[in-house]
Amino acid sequence: MKSILSEASRVPFAAQVEEIVASTPIYDIHTHLYEPVFGELLLWGIDDLLIYHYLVAESFRLHDVSYDKFWSLSKTEQADLIWNTLFIEHSPISEACRGVLTTLHALGLDVKKRDLPALRQWFAGRTVEQHITQCMELAGVRNICMTNSPFDDLERPVWEKGFHRDERFTAALRIDPLILNWPETAPKLAQWGYSVEVNPGSKTYSEIRRFLADWSKRIDAKYLMVSLPPDFAFPANTVSANLIEHAVLPHCREHNLPFALMPGVKRAVNPQLKLAGDGVGLSDLNTLQNLCAQFPQNKFLATVLARENQHELCILARKFRNLHIFGCWWFTNIPSLIDEITRMRIELLGPSFTPQHSDARVLDQIVYKWQHSRRVISNILVEKYTELGQTGWQTSPAEVERDVKELFGGAFEKFCRG
Ligand code: RAT
Ligand code: ZN
C-alpha cells in the first residue's frame, strides 16, 4: 500500500517527533539512587559502573575466577577483572556493557583509547554535585525516585536524623522485609517502639499502620512498593496476604498512596552470585487481578519481570483503572524487549502508562538507560503517528509533546494524585 504522506512531509514530522522524545524531561519513577546527603549510598563513577550486578553476572560466564576469589577482591580489582573480561577479551556487545560505553561517550570521554586508569583519573577529579547535575542533564531526567528502606541500617539513621530535601529526588517506601519476612521483621518493629506480635492480630495491624504512616510521612513517600516471587498468591491464608489486606492497603487508602507490585523475581537462584544471583519466573497474575478487583479504592502500580507475563499485564490494565503499569524491568530492559513491550502497551493502552524507569543503581547509568530507551520509544511513536497520518489524521507537534509528557511521568503523576 502506498503511503498517503509523501517522503518530503514524513521526514520532517519524524524528525520533530524524535526531537520531542529526545528533549522531554523525564520523571524516573524507580531507581536505586540516593540524594547526595546519603553519602556513599549514592554510587557513581567508573568502578561502580563496572561492578554493576548485571555485569558481574555476565562476567562469570567468561572468566574462570571462583566465586570466593571474586568476592575477596577489592572493588578496583573486581572492576579490572570485569573490564578485561567483558571489554578487552571480548567485545562489549551486551546491553549492560554497551551502556557503560554510551555513558562514557556522552560524558565526553574517549572510549576507543580503552584506558581504564585514565577513566579513573577523570572521575577522581569530579565532585558528586557536579556529576549529578551533568548526568541528569545528559539523561534529560527532571526527577529521580529513590527506593527507600527503613530496614536498611545505613539508610535509616539518615532519615531519622533529618535533613533538607533535595527537590530533584523523591522517595518510595520499600517494604519487602515486612511483607515477605514478617517473623524476622516483627522484632525490629518492636525494638523501634511498635507494639507488634509475630502472629499478627488487629493490634499488630494497627501498629504496622502506625509504622507505615510514620515512614510515609518521614520520607514523603510517593508510593509503597514490594517485589514478589512468581508464586505469590492473593487472597491466601498467609501472613503476607493478611499483612497486605489488613495493614498495607488500608494505609495506602488512608493516605492516597499507590502500592507498587513487582512480581516475577526468584531471589537467590544462585546465592554465590550475591546481588547478581536473582532469577525470573512466570507469575500468576490472578493475584494482581484479585487485588485490583477486590480493592477498587486502592491504586496499584505494577511491572512484571517475565516477558511471558507482559501481555496479560496489559490486558489487566485495560480492565482496571486503578492499575497503572510501568517500566521494562531489569531483564526486560533490553532494546528488543523494550520495543516489543512498549509497542504492545501503546497498541493496547494508548498513552495511559509509563513505558520506562531506569532502575539505575549507579548514577551515571541514567544516561545510557534513558538514551537507549528514548531511541526505541521514539521509533515506535514515529511509526504510530505515521500510521495515523495514513488515515488523514494529523497530529500537531503540540499534541506529540502532550503525549510524550504523559508517557515520561505525567500519566504517573496524575495517577498518584487521582
Ligand atoms: O534491577 C535491579 O537492579 C534489581 O536488582 C532489583 O533492584 C530490582 O529492580 C528491584 O527493585 O527489586
Ligand atoms: Zn529496582
Side-chain angles (χ1 to χ4, degrees), residues 253-269:
R253 286 194 296 272
E254 187 183 341
H255 297 272
N256 192 28
L257 290 169
F259 183 33
L261 301 163
M262 304 166 77
V265 55
K266 285 187 188 164
R267 294 285 178 203
V269 166

Side-chain angles (χ1 to χ4, degrees), residues 30 32 52-54 174 176 225 227 262 267 275 278 329-330 359 361:
H30 171 55
H32 297 267
Y52 185 31
H53 69 90
Y54 293 25
R174 183 86 177 222
D176 294 28
M225 71 188 306
S227 66
M262 304 166 77
R267 294 285 178 203
L275 188 58
D278 299 338
W329 179 27
W330 198 346
D359 233 311
R361 281 180 179 267

Side-chain angles (χ1 to χ4, degrees), residues 118-151:
L119 294 171
R120 286 191 171 125
Q121 217 176 353
W122 184 84
F123 280 97
R126 295 182 65 78
T127 66
V128 69
E129 203 34 69
Q130 197 181 24
H131 207 54
I132 293 174
T133 308
Q134 190 180 7
C135 289
M136 289 185 78
E137 219 168 86
L138 287 171
V141 165
R142 63 176 162 90
N143 293 103
I144 292 175
C145 191
M146 308 178 276
T147 295
N148 303 101
S149 174
F151 306 102

Side-chain angles (χ1 to χ4, degrees), residues 223-291:
Y223 59 91
L224 278 74
M225 71 188 306
V226 67
S227 66
L228 296 169
D231 58 359
F232 186 81
F234 188 97
N237 192 14
T238 59
V239 173
S240 303
N242 286 333
L243 289 169
I244 289 179
E245 178 167 356
H246 300 297
V248 178
L249 294 181
H251 164 76
C252 289
R253 286 194 296 272
E254 187 183 341
H255 297 272
N256 192 28
L257 290 169
F259 183 33
L261 301 163
M262 304 166 77
V265 55
K266 285 187 188 164
R267 294 285 178 203
V269 166
N270 180 356
Q272 309 238 59
L273 280 171
K274 299 194 178 177
L275 188 58
D278 299 338
V280 60
L282 189 66
S283 296
D284 180 359
L285 292 190
N286 282 313
T287 292
L288 185 57
Q289 178 184 316
N290 294 336
L291 285 164

Side-chain angles (χ1 to χ4, degrees), residues 336-382:
S336 56
L337 291 187
I338 301 169
D339 183 67
E340 172 182 302
I341 294 167
T342 307
R343 213 169 264 285
M344 176 169 64
R345 289 173 172 175
I346 286 189
E347 288 167 3
L348 284 164
L349 300 169
S352 65
F353 70 101
T354 301
Q356 193 55 304
H357 65 270
S358 76
D359 233 311
R361 281 180 179 267
V362 182
L363 172 66
D364 322 49
Q365 290 169 342
I366 59 173
V367 176
Y368 91 78
K369 300 227 186 202
W370 283 112
Q371 234 186 62
H372 293 187
S373 287
R374 275 192 215 253
R375 196 163 308 150
V376 179
I377 295 166
S378 181
N379 289 341
I380 298 171
L381 287 177
V382 167

